[in-house]
């Protein structure tokens, strides 16, 4: 698996942005993580996209966000990862760590920051785009046992419980009969 | 990343872990107050951010009832500590407590004592609290070399790149490396990349100029004592000994290995074997003719390492003196080959104790064709009984000691012109014993320039061996710990050795040297040996590397320079010192025989303090330098803490000096021999080749070895 450094966030696809807008509306409130999971209520068609955000809160009271990593799991028979892009919570000039598979049902990704500068903040750490492959429950979830946020020394700054996926599909993904 | 811990300490700034027993400690048998005592713990320390240290602390219940207690972390700051659950210790038994400490990556970039650990009660009546209060090591040098993963003395983009290239690698993957998993969660993640990236631009200690002051200050008698407490506890729980062929030795090996766990040292426990001979049935001797007589068993003792089998042959006396001289050693029976000028091959030789080692008498007799050998005691007061001693290495014919009375009677018969025929038998069976040395290598520095430092770990059966040689072993352990804490990155490579079976003939070290290929031995630029560093009536003895005490000895080139290094150090501090003959009575012998320069320190064994030594060092003139040498009383109470502090500092200073020496080494010194000659080196090389295979024969004379290189061999003649 190759890695590359992205000095600025990658712009997600228009569809992802649309979905993210829906998510943002859904999660707007006192806490980025307090809102219930939200997302398309209608069945999604094969080859359509699902966009979810990985959000974090509680960074203001910690040492300062410099890095994070996360493992997101899913049902590989239902969805596949199309891409993972950095979010707006990361410090300016962060270096992106390209996603790597974590078994058959997971993806591991993250970022770090070298040098001085203001730390990151509460908000979106990453935006994940999935493509629908088949019918069933996508079961997209954050593996908190393999996720964390870190300060400039690499020390953990907030419990993984302060990280969450937002914008998850509420209902299972159905494919219309005859579509496949 | 898995941040969960079963017992995560509460957040606090003070770095103190206490294994409290206030709530869980109880006597299983409801012992009355004060009848139980749990003792021996130690200090838990770590080496800065990202360190993972697993400490194993010996624990012995010196009380009269079994105890059970739960451990809990009272306060460990935010340093995760893992503790075992309930500990149960039988009365008089010993166990160990394993404490794992992960130092967070956010910790200050310096070496730090995590804590004082105390096991036991907080005043609870049945268990006495024993605690050490450790300080904090403030190292003046920049640490953090663990993040210099492409070792070049600086933490830079190359280091960051190496770690990020492994992003996502998990334990078991080819790309995974424990050294890169700074947060010890089993995967190279963003925390690990950030740990390096966050320190980018910093220097590490690899370019430090040699200065032993920091490490000398860190290697203290107090710390050494903690290791000695552990060795003492092992002996206490195992019959007051740590000798090979007892559980106490293997537990000592385990103690060293566990103390070094997770400190960054590469630790191995190579096996060595030796042959121990066990007497299956007692030695036997009888006169067949004239006047058949079975000799009383109390007056017949087979020598250790005697050959086995039955022999019946004519007896012939060799240069005996009966009646004996007034003073011991009044005969030279069998000492010279010429004594056997008239000896007829195929006979049994009748010899007399005195003047030269038994081994010499036996070898001369065998050379003359003796098929059996009887040696009777010389005959003076206290030199009349038959007793068990060794002939040295295994011989091929039965060798039996007789009382003087039996010997005298046989000599009288022979003098009267009788042809005396004797039947004699010895029955020894060989058993192969396997033990382990402990070898620890600090994985930094040039592997082709190894500074090797050793101490023997075993005791004699008669005692716990705390001065001999717990002191040397504990000094090396503390040196290892502090090298790890300071993350020393010397140009040369440091290898430490804890030898086994030194007390029965330098077996472990000789076997290890013999196991090394010539090319591997050539990588060792010198060997330092430390055998007894805390004698109660001490001297500051330095091995005589320039052979100034021996008219007929020459040691490998470089040994003299090692001697001078110690002398210079003591001179610089205004500390008196003296030379001790280097000899071959401790573990340096195998190295010298291989042509490797060697040196060391020694504070004294059983020899009485001479007037000259008294003038130099004070103490008690005429009293043994170590009155408990090879005795049951060689306990932790037998150690002089002042001298071990001084000697351990010298160990640190000279060891570090050679670790930073770019020139010293046999290859460089062969052109300019000092003390030994080039010829002597070649001879030593030849001798090394004669060390033989890995199977050695132990000297059954427990106690003949191990009192340093410094005394004439008490061959017991």
């Amino acid at each position: 698996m190759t890695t590359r450094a992205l000095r600025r966030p990658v712009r997600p696809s228009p569809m992802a942005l649309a979905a993210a807008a829906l998510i943002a509306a859904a999660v707007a409130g006192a806490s980025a993580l307090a809102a219930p999971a939200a997302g398309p209520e209608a069945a999604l068609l094969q080859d359509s996209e699902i966009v979810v955000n990985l959000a974090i809160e509680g960074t203001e009271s910690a040492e300062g966000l410099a890095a994070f990593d996360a493992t997101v799991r899913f049902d590989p028979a239902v969805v596949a990862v199309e891409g993972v892009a950095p979010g707006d919570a990361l410090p300016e000039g962060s270096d992106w760590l390209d996603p790597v598979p974590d078994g058959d049902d997971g993806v591991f990704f993250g970022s770090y920051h070298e040098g001085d500068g203001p730390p990151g903040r509460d908000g979106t750490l990453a935006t994940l785009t999935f493509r629908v492959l088949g019918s069933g429950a996508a079961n997209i979830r954050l593996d908190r046992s393999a996720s964390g946020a870190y300060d400039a020394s690499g020390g953990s700054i907030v419990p993984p419980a302060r990280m969450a996926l937002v914008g998850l599909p509420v209902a299972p993904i159905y494919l219309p009969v005859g579509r496949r | 990343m898995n941040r969960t811990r079963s017992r995560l300490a509460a957040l606090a700034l003070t770095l103190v872990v206490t294994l409290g027993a206030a709530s869980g400690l109880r006597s299983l048998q409801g012992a009355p107050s004060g009848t139980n005592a749990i003792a021996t713990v130690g200090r838990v320390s770590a080496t800065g951010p990202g360190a993972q240290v697993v400490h194993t602390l010996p624990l012995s219940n010196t009380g009269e009832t079994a105890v059970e207690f739960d451990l809990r972390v009272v306060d460990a700051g935010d340093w995760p500590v893992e503790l075992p659950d309930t500990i149960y210790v039988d009365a008089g038994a010993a166990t160990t407590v394993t404490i794992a400490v992960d130092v967070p990556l956010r910790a200050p970039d310096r070496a730090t004592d995590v804590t004082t650990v105390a096991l036991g009660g907080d005043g609870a009546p049945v268990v006495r609290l024993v605690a050490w209060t450790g300080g904090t090591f403030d190292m003046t040098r920049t640490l953090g070399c663990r993040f210099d993963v492409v070792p070049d003395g600086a933490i830079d983009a190359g280091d960051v790149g190496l770690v990020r290239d492994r992003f996502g690698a998990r334990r078991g993957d080819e790309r995974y490396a424990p050294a890169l998993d700074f947060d010890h969660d089993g995967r190279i993640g963003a925390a690990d990349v950030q740990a390096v990236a966050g320190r980018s631009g910093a220097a590490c200690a690899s370019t430090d100029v040699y200065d032993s002051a920091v490490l000398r200050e860190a290697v203290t008698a107090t710390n050494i004592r903690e290791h000695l407490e552990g060795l003492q506890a092992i002996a206490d729980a195992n019959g007051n000994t740590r000798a090979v062929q007892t559980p106490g030795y293997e537990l000592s090996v385990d103690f060293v290995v566990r103390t070094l766990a997770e400190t960054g040292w590469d630790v191995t426990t190579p096996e060595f074997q030796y042959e121990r001979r066990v007497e299956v049935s007692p030695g036997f001797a009888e006169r067949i003719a004239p006047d058949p007589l079975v000799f009383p068993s109390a007056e017949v003792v087979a020598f250790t390492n005697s050959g086995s089998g039955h022999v019946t042959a004519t007896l012939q006396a060799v240069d005996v003196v009966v009646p004996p001289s007034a003073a011991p050693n009044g005969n030279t029976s069998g000492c010279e080959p010429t004594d056997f000028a008239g000896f007829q091959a195929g006979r049994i030789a009748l010899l007399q104790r005195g003047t030269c080692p038994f081994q010499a008498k036996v070898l001369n007799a065998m050379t003359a064709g003796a098929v059996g050998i009887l040696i009777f005691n010389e005959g003076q007061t206290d030199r009349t009984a038959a007793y068990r001693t060794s002939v040295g290495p295994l011989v091929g014919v039965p060798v039996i000691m007789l009382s003087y009375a039996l010997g005298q009677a046989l000599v009288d018969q022979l003098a009267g012109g009788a042809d005396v025929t004797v039947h004699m038998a010895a029955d020894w069976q060989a058993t192969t014993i396997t033990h382990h040395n402990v070898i620890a290598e600090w994985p930094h520095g040039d592997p082709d320039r190894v500074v090797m430092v050793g101490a023997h770990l075993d005791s004699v059966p008669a005692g716990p061996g705390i001065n001999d040689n717990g002191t040397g072993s504990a000094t090396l352990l503390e040196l290892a710990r502090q090298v790890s804490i300071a993350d020393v990155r010397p140009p040369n490579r440091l290898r430490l050795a804890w030898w086994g079976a030194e007390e029965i003939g330098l077996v472990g070290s000789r076997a290890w040297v013999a196991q090394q290929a010539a090319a591997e031995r050539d990588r060792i630029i010198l060997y330092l040996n430390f055998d007894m560093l805390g004698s109660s009536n001490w001297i500051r003895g330095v091995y005589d590397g320039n052979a100034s005490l021996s008219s007929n000895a020459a040691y490998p080139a470089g040994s003299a320079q090692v001697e001078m290094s110690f002398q210079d150090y003591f001179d610089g501090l205004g500390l008196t010192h003296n030379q001790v003959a280097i000899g071959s009575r401790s573990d340096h012998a195998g190295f010298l025989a291989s042509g490797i320069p060697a040196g060391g320190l020694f504070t004294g064994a059983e020899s009485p303090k001479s007037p000259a030594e008294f003038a130099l060092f004070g103490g008690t003139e005429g009293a043994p330098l170590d009155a408990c040498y090879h005795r049951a009383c060689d306990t932790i109470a037998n150690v002089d803490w002042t001298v071990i502090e001084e000697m351990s500092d010298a160990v640190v200073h000279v060891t570090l000096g050679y670790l930073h020496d770019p020139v010293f080494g046999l290859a460089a010194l062969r052109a300019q021999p000092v003390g030994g000659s080039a010829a002597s080196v070649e001879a030593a090389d030849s001798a090394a080749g004669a060390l033989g295979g890995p199977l050695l024969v132990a000297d059954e004379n427990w106690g003949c070895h191990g009192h340093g290189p410094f005394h004439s061999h008490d061959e017991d003649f």
Side-chain angles (χ1 to χ4, degrees):
Chain A
M1 182 65 65
T2 60
T3 59
R4 59 194 169 90
L6 298 177
R7 285 294 173 179
R8 57 186 63 153
V10 170
R11 179 180 297 278
S13 68
M15 184 173 290
L17 287 174
L22 289 173
I23 294 165
V27 303
S31 168
L33 307 183
E41 295 183 357
L44 295 173
L45 300 179
Q46 188 177 28
D47 290 334
S48 62
E49 289 185 338
I50 302 171
V51 177
V52 296
N53 279 355
L54 174 63
I56 188 170
E57 68 175 15
T59 59
E60 288 83 357
S61 60
E63 300 286 330
L65 174 66
F68 87 99
D69 54 22
T71 298
V72 173
R73 301 200 179 281
F74 50 88
D75 185 341
V78 179
V79 293
V81 177
E82 278 284 285
V84 186
D88 59 7
L90 302 178
E92 185 72 21
S94 288
D95 290 272
W96 187 245
L97 293 160
D98 276 346
V100 295
D102 190 60
D104 294 334
D105 66 342
V107 60
F108 183 59
F109 55 94
S111 75
Y112 69 99
H113 184 263
E114 188 171 355
D116 298 329
R121 58 187 184 277
D122 285 4
T124 300
L125 292 169
T127 299
L128 296 91
T129 304
F130 294 89
R131 183 165 300 280
V132 176
L133 301 178
S135 60
N139 200 20
I140 298 169
R141 63 201 183 277
L142 176 66
D143 183 348
R144 289 192 172 86
S145 70
S147 304
Y150 315 105
D151 64 16
S153 296
S156 182
I157 57 170
V158 294
R162 308 301 294 273
M163 298 165 63
L165 292 174
V166 295
L168 292 171
V170 171
I173 301 167
Y174 297 101
L175 296 177
V177 174
R179 174 67 178 171
R180 302 186 67 179
Chain B
M1 301 296 188
N2 185 359
R3 308 282 170 215
T4 58
R5 298 282 176 182
S6 59
R7 293 170 182 268
L8 185 64
L11 288 173
L13 292 179
T14 51
L15 301 177
V16 176
V17 181
T18 300
L19 309 185
S23 59
L25 181 63
R26 60 191 181 277
S27 165
L28 294 181
Q29 300 177 11
S33 174
T35 58
N36 274 350
I38 294 284
T40 304
V41 213
R43 187 179 55 217
V44 173
S45 64
T47 60
Q52 184 179 47
V53 184
V54 177
H55 293 263
T56 300
L57 304 175
L59 175 68
S60 61
N61 179 5
T62 57
E64 299 169 358
T65 60
V67 294
E68 181 182 64
F69 52 93
D70 298 323
L71 308 177
R72 65 186 173 89
V73 174
V74 172
D75 188 359
D78 61 350
W79 296 30
V81 176
E82 287 185 299
L83 296 174
D85 294 327
T86 300
I87 297 287
Y88 174 89
V89 193
D90 275 325
T95 186
T96 56
V97 177
T98 302
I99 303 172
V101 180
D102 283 356
V103 184
L105 285 164
R106 197 189 304 134
D109 192 9
R110 60 179 172 79
T112 307
D113 263 3
V114 177
T115 181
T116 293
V117 174
L119 284 178
D122 54 350
V126 293
V127 177
R128 186 179 64 225
L129 173 67
V130 179
W132 280 263
T133 54
T136 296
F137 297 119
D138 289 319
M139 309 297 287
T140 55
R141 70 184 62 199
T142 301
L143 297 177
C145 284
R146 75 182 69 252
F147 304 109
D148 183 20
V149 293
V150 180
D152 57 6
I155 302 168
D156 51 26
D159 305 302
V160 177
L162 191 152
V163 183
R164 68 169 292 163
D165 283 348
R166 310 289 181 94
F167 179 72
R170 307 179 75 157
R171 198 174 281 137
D173 295 349
E174 285 186 5
R175 295 187 309 128
Y176 177 79
L180 303 181
D181 184 11
F182 302 108
D183 62 352
H184 318 298
D185 68 345
R187 174 150 61 182
I188 311 300
D192 308 306
V193 181
Q194 184 64 48
V196 178
R199 292 167 173 81
S200 182
C204 80
S206 64
T207 57
D208 275 3
V209 174
Y210 158 53
D211 178 3
S212 70
V214 171
L215 274 190
R216 276 189 286 127
E217 189 174 340
V219 176
T220 64
T222 302
N223 297 345
I224 292 169
R225 179 176 182 129
E226 291 181 8
H227 302 307
L228 290 174
E229 295 274 7
L231 296 175
Q232 179 71 64
I234 289 170
D236 289 345
N238 292 279
N240 199 38
T241 186
R242 298 183 301 104
V244 289
Q245 299 166 218
T246 75
Y249 177 69
E250 288 302 328
L251 285 169
S252 297
V253 169
D254 193 50
F255 176 78
V256 171
V257 170
R258 289 175 180 272
T259 301
L260 295 177
E262 306 297 339
T263 58
W265 286 82
D266 292 336
V267 181
T268 58
T269 54
E271 280 186 358
F272 64 91
Q273 294 181 324
Y274 58 92
E275 189 177 84
R276 176 172 179 253
R277 295 172 63 79
V278 178
E279 189 173 37
V280 178
S281 56
F284 174 85
E286 63 178 332
R287 185 173 58 215
I288 301 295
D291 306 323
L293 172 68
V294 175
F295 299 152
S297 59
E299 299 184 54
V300 176
V301 179
F303 279 75
T304 300
N305 286 340
S306 161
S308 292
H310 291 255
V311 172
T312 301
T314 301
L315 187 68
Q316 183 171 349
V318 178
D319 198 19
V320 298
V321 178
V322 175
S325 59
N329 298 315
N331 76 87
T332 60
S333 172
C335 292
E336 302 293 337
T338 52
D339 293 345
F340 295 86
F343 188 81
Q344 293 187 31
R347 288 186 170 182
I348 293 173
L350 178 63
L351 308 177
Q352 187 175 14
R353 177 190 181 190
T355 303
C356 65
F358 291 119
Q359 183 179 0
K361 295 173 188 278
V362 169
L363 291 178
N364 287 335
M366 290 174 62
T367 301
V371 295
I373 300 166
L374 295 174
I375 303 177
F376 63 93
N377 210 339
E378 188 172 17
Q380 296 88 359
T381 302
D382 296 331
R383 289 167 73 89
T384 59
Y387 65 97
R388 170 66 48 78
T389 186
S390 173
V391 292
L394 177 66
V395 298
V397 301
V399 185
I400 284 179
M401 175 172 276
L402 302 178
S403 67
Y404 173 74
L406 282 178
Q408 179 188 35
L410 289 170
V411 170
D412 288 346
Q413 270 191 305
L414 292 169
D419 284 336
V420 178
T421 301
V422 170
H423 167 223
M424 59 183 293
D427 189 4
W428 289 74
Q429 188 173 47
T431 302
T432 299
I433 306 292
T434 300
H435 275 304
H436 300 83
N437 296 314
V438 182
I439 306 293
E441 185 149 324
W442 184 238
H444 306 289
D446 186 348
D448 289 332
R449 294 182 54 78
V450 176
V451 174
M452 194 155 182
V453 185
H456 76 82
L457 185 57
D458 61 316
S459 75
V460 292
I466 297 303
N467 185 36
D468 180 17
N469 181 36
T471 51
S473 295
T475 298
L476 263 58
L477 264 180
E478 187 58 16
L479 172 64
R481 203 173 74 93
Q482 296 300 339
V483 163
S484 172
I485 288 174
D487 207 6
V488 172
R489 301 294 179 102
N492 299 331
R493 180 157 293 208
L494 178 58
R495 181 185 295 156
L496 303 180
W498 288 263
W499 305 118
E502 189 268 0
E503 298 285 12
I504 57 171
L506 322 178
V507 177
S509 58
R510 288 167 58 202
W512 188 87
V513 172
Q515 289 163 0
Q516 307 308 303
E520 181 58 36
R521 291 201 298 265
D522 285 346
R523 295 188 178 98
I524 302 171
I525 62 175
L526 82 160
Y527 173 75
L528 301 176
N529 193 64
F530 300 109
D531 187 353
M532 303 179 72
L533 297 180
S535 305
S536 53
N537 192 26
W538 49 266
I539 60 173
R540 292 189 200 93
V542 178
Y543 287 19
D544 174 33
N546 62 4
S548 59
L549 298 179
S550 306
S551 59
N552 59 350
Y555 305 120
S559 302
Q561 184 172 330
V562 176
E563 177 188 0
M564 285 188 289
S565 297
F566 284 113
Q567 291 171 333
D568 288 346
Y569 171 75
F570 287 129
D571 288 343
L573 297 176
L575 298 175
T576 55
H577 53 84
N578 65 342
Q579 292 176 302
V580 289
I582 200 164
S584 58
R585 301 306 309 276
S586 191
D587 292 305
H588 53 275
F591 291 86
L592 289 174
S594 292
I596 298 169
L601 298 173
F602 172 63
T603 56
E606 82 283 16
S607 297
K609 181 166 269 186
S610 69
E613 289 169 337
F614 174 71
L616 276 173
F617 308 111
T620 305
E621 185 176 353
L625 301 176
D626 178 359
C628 288
Y629 169 71
H630 283 190
R631 297 176 59 198
C633 59
D634 186 11
T635 67
I636 201 157
N638 186 43
V639 175
D640 185 288
W641 303 107
T642 299
V643 76
I644 200 172
E645 178 82 58
E646 294 173 350
M647 301 304 261
S648 62
D649 281 354
V651 170
V652 170
H653 178 81
V654 172
T655 300
L656 277 184
Y658 284 111
L659 282 174
H660 287 77
D661 190 323
V663 177
F664 188 90
L666 197 55
L669 289 164
R670 270 185 166 142
Q672 41 177 323
V674 179
S677 65
S680 75
V681 173
E682 290 168 6
D685 281 341
S686 175
L691 282 173
L695 185 61
L696 304 174
V697 178
D699 184 342
E700 287 289 336
N701 262 356
W702 291 91
C704 272
H705 294 274
H707 42 122
F710 342 99
H711 308 288
S712 62
H713 193 320
D714 53 344
E715 291 284 2
D716 199 17
F717 42 78

